[in-house]
PDB file of all heavy atoms in Angstrom:
ATOM      1  N   VAL A  23      96.703 113.140 127.104  1.00  0.00           N
ATOM      2  CA  VAL A  23      96.448 114.511 127.554  1.00  0.00           C
ATOM      3  C   VAL A  23      96.995 115.512 126.536  1.00  0.00           C
ATOM      4  O   VAL A  23      98.064 115.309 125.951  1.00  0.00           O
ATOM      5  CB  VAL A  23      97.116 114.750 128.928  1.00  0.00           C
ATOM      6  CG1 VAL A  23      96.944 116.193 129.373  1.00  0.00           C
ATOM      7  CG2 VAL A  23      96.532 113.801 129.963  1.00  0.00           C
ATOM      8  N   LEU A  24      96.273 116.609 126.317  1.00  0.00           N
ATOM      9  CA  LEU A  24      96.733 117.661 125.424  1.00  0.00           C
ATOM     10  C   LEU A  24      97.936 118.378 126.029  1.00  0.00           C
ATOM     11  O   LEU A  24      98.039 118.533 127.250  1.00  0.00           O
ATOM     12  CB  LEU A  24      95.617 118.677 125.179  1.00  0.00           C
ATOM     13  CG  LEU A  24      94.404 118.195 124.381  1.00  0.00           C
ATOM     14  CD1 LEU A  24      93.332 119.284 124.338  1.00  0.00           C
ATOM     15  CD2 LEU A  24      94.807 117.794 122.967  1.00  0.00           C
ATOM     16  N   PHE A  25      98.825 118.844 125.136  1.00  0.00           N
ATOM     17  CA  PHE A  25     100.017 119.552 125.609  1.00  0.00           C
ATOM     18  C   PHE A  25     100.125 120.927 124.961  1.00  0.00           C
ATOM     19  O   PHE A  25     100.017 121.062 123.732  1.00  0.00           O
ATOM     20  CB  PHE A  25     101.289 118.755 125.320  1.00  0.00           C
ATOM     21  CG  PHE A  25     102.531 119.455 125.809  1.00  0.00           C
ATOM     22  CD1 PHE A  25     102.851 119.437 127.156  1.00  0.00           C
ATOM     23  CD2 PHE A  25     103.331 120.170 124.940  1.00  0.00           C
ATOM     24  CE1 PHE A  25     103.969 120.116 127.623  1.00  0.00           C
ATOM     25  CE2 PHE A  25     104.454 120.856 125.402  1.00  0.00           C
ATOM     26  CZ  PHE A  25     104.766 120.818 126.746  1.00  0.00           C
ATOM     27  N   HIS A  26     100.352 121.944 125.791  1.00  0.00           N
ATOM     28  CA  HIS A  26     100.520 123.326 125.336  1.00  0.00           C
ATOM     29  C   HIS A  26     101.871 123.861 125.787  1.00  0.00           C
ATOM     30  O   HIS A  26     102.347 123.529 126.874  1.00  0.00           O
ATOM     31  CB  HIS A  26      99.413 124.219 125.929  1.00  0.00           C
ATOM     32  CG  HIS A  26      99.731 125.684 125.866  1.00  0.00           C
ATOM     33  ND1 HIS A  26     100.124 126.413 126.983  1.00  0.00           N
ATOM     34  CD2 HIS A  26      99.727 126.564 124.831  1.00  0.00           C
ATOM     35  CE1 HIS A  26     100.333 127.672 126.634  1.00  0.00           C
ATOM     36  NE2 HIS A  26     100.088 127.787 125.341  1.00  0.00           N
ATOM     37  N   THR A  27     102.483 124.675 124.937  1.00  0.00           N
ATOM     38  CA  THR A  27     103.704 125.359 125.345  1.00  0.00           C
ATOM     39  C   THR A  27     103.585 126.856 125.086  1.00  0.00           C
ATOM     40  O   THR A  27     103.119 127.289 124.027  1.00  0.00           O
ATOM     41  CB  THR A  27     104.944 124.789 124.621  1.00  0.00           C
ATOM     42  OG1 THR A  27     106.125 125.362 125.209  1.00  0.00           O
ATOM     43  CG2 THR A  27     104.932 125.075 123.130  1.00  0.00           C
ATOM     44  N   ASP A  28     103.976 127.636 126.075  1.00  0.00           N
ATOM     45  CA  ASP A  28     104.072 129.086 125.949  1.00  0.00           C
ATOM     46  C   ASP A  28     105.433 129.361 125.305  1.00  0.00           C
ATOM     47  O   ASP A  28     106.470 129.225 125.936  1.00  0.00           O
ATOM     48  CB  ASP A  28     103.978 129.716 127.338  1.00  0.00           C
ATOM     49  CG  ASP A  28     104.133 131.234 127.324  1.00  0.00           C
ATOM     50  OD1 ASP A  28     104.741 131.763 126.373  1.00  0.00           O
ATOM     51  OD2 ASP A  28     103.688 131.888 128.281  1.00  0.00           O
ATOM     52  N   ALA A  29     105.397 129.737 124.023  1.00  0.00           N
ATOM     53  CA  ALA A  29     106.642 129.972 123.274  1.00  0.00           C
ATOM     54  C   ALA A  29     106.893 131.454 123.050  1.00  0.00           C
ATOM     55  O   ALA A  29     107.612 131.837 122.117  1.00  0.00           O
ATOM     56  CB  ALA A  29     106.585 129.244 121.935  1.00  0.00           C
ATOM     57  N   VAL A  30     106.330 132.287 123.911  1.00  0.00           N
ATOM     58  CA  VAL A  30     106.431 133.734 123.741  1.00  0.00           C
ATOM     59  C   VAL A  30     107.884 134.198 123.683  1.00  0.00           C
ATOM     60  O   VAL A  30     108.244 135.046 122.864  1.00  0.00           O
ATOM     61  CB  VAL A  30     105.666 134.463 124.868  1.00  0.00           C
ATOM     62  CG1 VAL A  30     106.007 135.948 124.902  1.00  0.00           C
ATOM     63  CG2 VAL A  30     104.163 134.274 124.684  1.00  0.00           C
ATOM     64  N   GLN A  31     108.743 133.665 124.554  1.00  0.00           N
ATOM     65  CA  GLN A  31     110.142 134.084 124.555  1.00  0.00           C
ATOM     66  C   GLN A  31     110.957 133.417 123.451  1.00  0.00           C
ATOM     67  O   GLN A  31     112.002 133.926 123.051  1.00  0.00           O
ATOM     68  CB  GLN A  31     110.782 133.758 125.903  1.00  0.00           C
ATOM     69  CG  GLN A  31     110.313 134.632 127.052  1.00  0.00           C
ATOM     70  CD  GLN A  31     110.715 136.096 126.875  1.00  0.00           C
ATOM     71  OE1 GLN A  31     111.786 136.409 126.374  1.00  0.00           O
ATOM     72  NE2 GLN A  31     109.846 136.992 127.314  1.00  0.00           N
ATOM     73  N   ALA A  32     110.490 132.287 122.970  1.00  0.00           N
ATOM     74  CA  ALA A  32     111.286 131.488 122.037  1.00  0.00           C
ATOM     75  C   ALA A  32     111.000 131.765 120.569  1.00  0.00           C
ATOM     76  O   ALA A  32     111.914 131.768 119.738  1.00  0.00           O
ATOM     77  CB  ALA A  32     111.064 130.004 122.323  1.00  0.00           C
ATOM     78  N   PHE A  33     109.730 131.985 120.226  1.00  0.00           N
ATOM     79  CA  PHE A  33     109.374 132.131 118.815  1.00  0.00           C
ATOM     80  C   PHE A  33     110.100 133.330 118.206  1.00  0.00           C
ATOM     81  O   PHE A  33     110.119 134.422 118.765  1.00  0.00           O
ATOM     82  CB  PHE A  33     107.864 132.317 118.644  1.00  0.00           C
ATOM     83  CG  PHE A  33     107.457 132.415 117.198  1.00  0.00           C
ATOM     84  CD1 PHE A  33     107.271 131.274 116.441  1.00  0.00           C
ATOM     85  CD2 PHE A  33     107.295 133.644 116.583  1.00  0.00           C
ATOM     86  CE1 PHE A  33     106.925 131.349 115.096  1.00  0.00           C
ATOM     87  CE2 PHE A  33     106.946 133.749 115.247  1.00  0.00           C
ATOM     88  CZ  PHE A  33     106.762 132.591 114.500  1.00  0.00           C
ATOM     89  N   GLY A  34     110.699 133.105 117.043  1.00  0.00           N
ATOM     90  CA  GLY A  34     111.442 134.164 116.369  1.00  0.00           C
ATOM     91  C   GLY A  34     112.903 134.206 116.756  1.00  0.00           C
ATOM     92  O   GLY A  34     113.691 134.946 116.147  1.00  0.00           O
ATOM     93  N   HIS A  35     113.275 133.431 117.777  1.00  0.00           N
ATOM     94  CA  HIS A  35     114.663 133.441 118.264  1.00  0.00           C
ATOM     95  C   HIS A  35     115.364 132.096 118.107  1.00  0.00           C
ATOM     96  O   HIS A  35     116.581 132.047 117.944  1.00  0.00           O
ATOM     97  CB  HIS A  35     114.682 133.866 119.731  1.00  0.00           C
ATOM     98  CG  HIS A  35     114.104 135.225 119.959  1.00  0.00           C
ATOM     99  ND1 HIS A  35     114.807 136.393 119.705  1.00  0.00           N
ATOM    100  CD2 HIS A  35     112.871 135.623 120.374  1.00  0.00           C
ATOM    101  CE1 HIS A  35     114.038 137.436 119.975  1.00  0.00           C
ATOM    102  NE2 HIS A  35     112.857 136.996 120.372  1.00  0.00           N
ATOM    103  N   ILE A  36     114.597 131.022 118.178  1.00  0.00           N
ATOM    104  CA  ILE A  36     115.142 129.692 117.942  1.00  0.00           C
ATOM    105  C   ILE A  36     114.189 128.944 117.013  1.00  0.00           C
ATOM    106  O   ILE A  36     112.988 129.245 116.985  1.00  0.00           O
ATOM    107  CB  ILE A  36     115.339 128.894 119.258  1.00  0.00           C
ATOM    108  CG1 ILE A  36     114.005 128.713 119.996  1.00  0.00           C
ATOM    109  CG2 ILE A  36     116.374 129.574 120.150  1.00  0.00           C
ATOM    110  CD1 ILE A  36     114.095 127.838 121.232  1.00  0.00           C
ATOM    111  N   PRO A  37     114.672 127.976 116.240  1.00  0.00           N
ATOM    112  CA  PRO A  37     113.795 127.232 115.328  1.00  0.00           C
ATOM    113  C   PRO A  37     112.721 126.458 116.095  1.00  0.00           C
ATOM    114  O   PRO A  37     113.000 125.857 117.130  1.00  0.00           O
ATOM    115  CB  PRO A  37     114.759 126.276 114.621  1.00  0.00           C
ATOM    116  CG  PRO A  37     116.110 126.889 114.782  1.00  0.00           C
ATOM    117  CD  PRO A  37     116.084 127.567 116.120  1.00  0.00           C
ATOM    118  N   ILE A  38     111.499 126.478 115.571  1.00  0.00           N
ATOM    119  CA  ILE A  38     110.385 125.752 116.187  1.00  0.00           C
ATOM    120  C   ILE A  38     109.613 125.017 115.111  1.00  0.00           C
ATOM    121  O   ILE A  38     109.123 125.635 114.156  1.00  0.00           O
ATOM    122  CB  ILE A  38     109.439 126.702 116.948  1.00  0.00           C
ATOM    123  CG1 ILE A  38     110.176 127.431 118.081  1.00  0.00           C
ATOM    124  CG2 ILE A  38     108.243 125.923 117.509  1.00  0.00           C
ATOM    125  CD1 ILE A  38     109.339 128.471 118.794  1.00  0.00           C
ATOM    126  N   ASP A  39     109.510 123.714 115.269  1.00  0.00           N
ATOM    127  CA  ASP A  39     108.716 122.873 114.378  1.00  0.00           C
ATOM    128  C   ASP A  39     107.679 122.169 115.252  1.00  0.00           C
ATOM    129  O   ASP A  39     108.025 121.308 116.054  1.00  0.00           O
ATOM    130  CB  ASP A  39     109.615 121.848 113.678  1.00  0.00           C
ATOM    131  CG  ASP A  39     108.867 120.983 112.671  1.00  0.00           C
ATOM    132  OD1 ASP A  39     107.694 120.651 112.924  1.00  0.00           O
ATOM    133  OD2 ASP A  39     109.454 120.618 111.639  1.00  0.00           O
ATOM    134  N   VAL A  40     106.423 122.550 115.115  1.00  0.00           N
ATOM    135  CA  VAL A  40     105.397 122.022 116.009  1.00  0.00           C
ATOM    136  C   VAL A  40     105.193 120.513 115.831  1.00  0.00           C
ATOM    137  O   VAL A  40     104.794 119.820 116.774  1.00  0.00           O
ATOM    138  CB  VAL A  40     104.046 122.759 115.813  1.00  0.00           C
ATOM    139  CG1 VAL A  40     104.149 124.189 116.315  1.00  0.00           C
ATOM    140  CG2 VAL A  40     103.593 122.711 114.356  1.00  0.00           C
ATOM    141  N   ASN A  41     105.485 120.007 114.649  1.00  0.00           N
ATOM    142  CA  ASN A  41     105.349 118.567 114.432  1.00  0.00           C
ATOM    143  C   ASN A  41     106.474 117.797 115.110  1.00  0.00           C
ATOM    144  O   ASN A  41     106.252 116.745 115.702  1.00  0.00           O
ATOM    145  CB  ASN A  41     105.325 118.260 112.930  1.00  0.00           C
ATOM    146  CG  ASN A  41     104.058 118.761 112.270  1.00  0.00           C
ATOM    147  OD1 ASN A  41     102.962 118.487 112.737  1.00  0.00           O
ATOM    148  ND2 ASN A  41     104.204 119.524 111.208  1.00  0.00           N
ATOM    149  N   TYR A  42     107.689 118.332 115.043  1.00  0.00           N
ATOM    150  CA  TYR A  42     108.812 117.688 115.724  1.00  0.00           C
ATOM    151  C   TYR A  42     108.605 117.740 117.238  1.00  0.00           C
ATOM    152  O   TYR A  42     108.821 116.749 117.942  1.00  0.00           O
ATOM    153  CB  TYR A  42     110.125 118.382 115.360  1.00  0.00           C
ATOM    154  CG  TYR A  42     111.299 117.868 116.156  1.00  0.00           C
ATOM    155  CD1 TYR A  42     111.893 116.649 115.846  1.00  0.00           C
ATOM    156  CD2 TYR A  42     111.797 118.598 117.237  1.00  0.00           C
ATOM    157  CE1 TYR A  42     112.959 116.161 116.594  1.00  0.00           C
ATOM    158  CE2 TYR A  42     112.852 118.121 117.991  1.00  0.00           C
ATOM    159  CZ  TYR A  42     113.439 116.900 117.665  1.00  0.00           C
ATOM    160  OH  TYR A  42     114.483 116.426 118.414  1.00  0.00           O
ATOM    161  N   LEU A  43     108.179 118.885 117.742  1.00  0.00           N
ATOM    162  CA  LEU A  43     107.970 119.030 119.186  1.00  0.00           C
ATOM    163  C   LEU A  43     106.770 118.228 119.662  1.00  0.00           C
ATOM    164  O   LEU A  43     106.713 117.811 120.814  1.00  0.00           O
ATOM    165  CB  LEU A  43     107.786 120.501 119.545  1.00  0.00           C
ATOM    166  CG  LEU A  43     108.994 121.412 119.378  1.00  0.00           C
ATOM    167  CD1 LEU A  43     108.630 122.850 119.746  1.00  0.00           C
ATOM    168  CD2 LEU A  43     110.175 120.938 120.222  1.00  0.00           C
ATOM    169  N   GLY A  44     105.791 118.054 118.790  1.00  0.00           N
ATOM    170  CA  GLY A  44     104.609 117.292 119.163  1.00  0.00           C
ATOM    171  C   GLY A  44     103.623 118.050 120.026  1.00  0.00           C
ATOM    172  O   GLY A  44     102.841 117.449 120.766  1.00  0.00           O
ATOM    173  N   VAL A  45     103.626 119.384 119.940  1.00  0.00           N
ATOM    174  CA  VAL A  45     102.734 120.181 120.775  1.00  0.00           C
ATOM    175  C   VAL A  45     101.347 120.266 120.139  1.00  0.00           C
ATOM    176  O   VAL A  45     101.203 120.237 118.920  1.00  0.00           O
ATOM    177  CB  VAL A  45     103.297 121.603 121.012  1.00  0.00           C
ATOM    178  CG1 VAL A  45     104.642 121.524 121.712  1.00  0.00           C
ATOM    179  CG2 VAL A  45     103.434 122.374 119.703  1.00  0.00           C
ATOM    180  N   ASP A  46     100.330 120.378 120.979  1.00  0.00           N
ATOM    181  CA  ASP A  46      98.953 120.525 120.504  1.00  0.00           C
ATOM    182  C   ASP A  46      98.568 121.987 120.367  1.00  0.00           C
ATOM    183  O   ASP A  46      97.724 122.341 119.537  1.00  0.00           O
ATOM    184  CB  ASP A  46      97.986 119.832 121.465  1.00  0.00           C
ATOM    185  CG  ASP A  46      98.232 118.345 121.526  1.00  0.00           C
ATOM    186  OD1 ASP A  46      98.049 117.680 120.494  1.00  0.00           O
ATOM    187  OD2 ASP A  46      98.637 117.851 122.593  1.00  0.00           O
ATOM    188  N   MET A  47      99.192 122.847 121.200  1.00  0.00           N
ATOM    189  CA  MET A  47      98.917 124.285 121.165  1.00  0.00           C
ATOM    190  C   MET A  47     100.198 125.035 121.492  1.00  0.00           C
ATOM    191  O   MET A  47     101.022 124.555 122.278  1.00  0.00           O
ATOM    192  CB  MET A  47      97.810 124.637 122.158  1.00  0.00           C
ATOM    193  CG  MET A  47      96.441 124.112 121.764  1.00  0.00           C
ATOM    194  SD  MET A  47      95.284 124.014 123.161  1.00  0.00           S
ATOM    195  CE  MET A  47      95.881 122.545 123.995  1.00  0.00           C
TER     196      MET A  47
END
C-alpha cells in the first residue's frame, strides 16, 4: 500500500529524509 505523510508542521523544523522515512508522498 502507498504511504503518505502530512509534514506541514514538521518540514523546515526537523530533518526529513524521504528515503530514510520510506514515504511515497
Side-chain angles (χ1 to χ4, degrees):
V23 176
L24 292 175
F25 181 77
H26 163 255
T27 188
D28 177 336
V30 167
Q31 289 295 324
F33 182 83
H35 300 281
I36 60 175
I38 299 175
D39 183 324
V40 291
N41 291 309
Y42 173 77
L43 292 179
V45 300
D46 297 296
M47 291 160 284

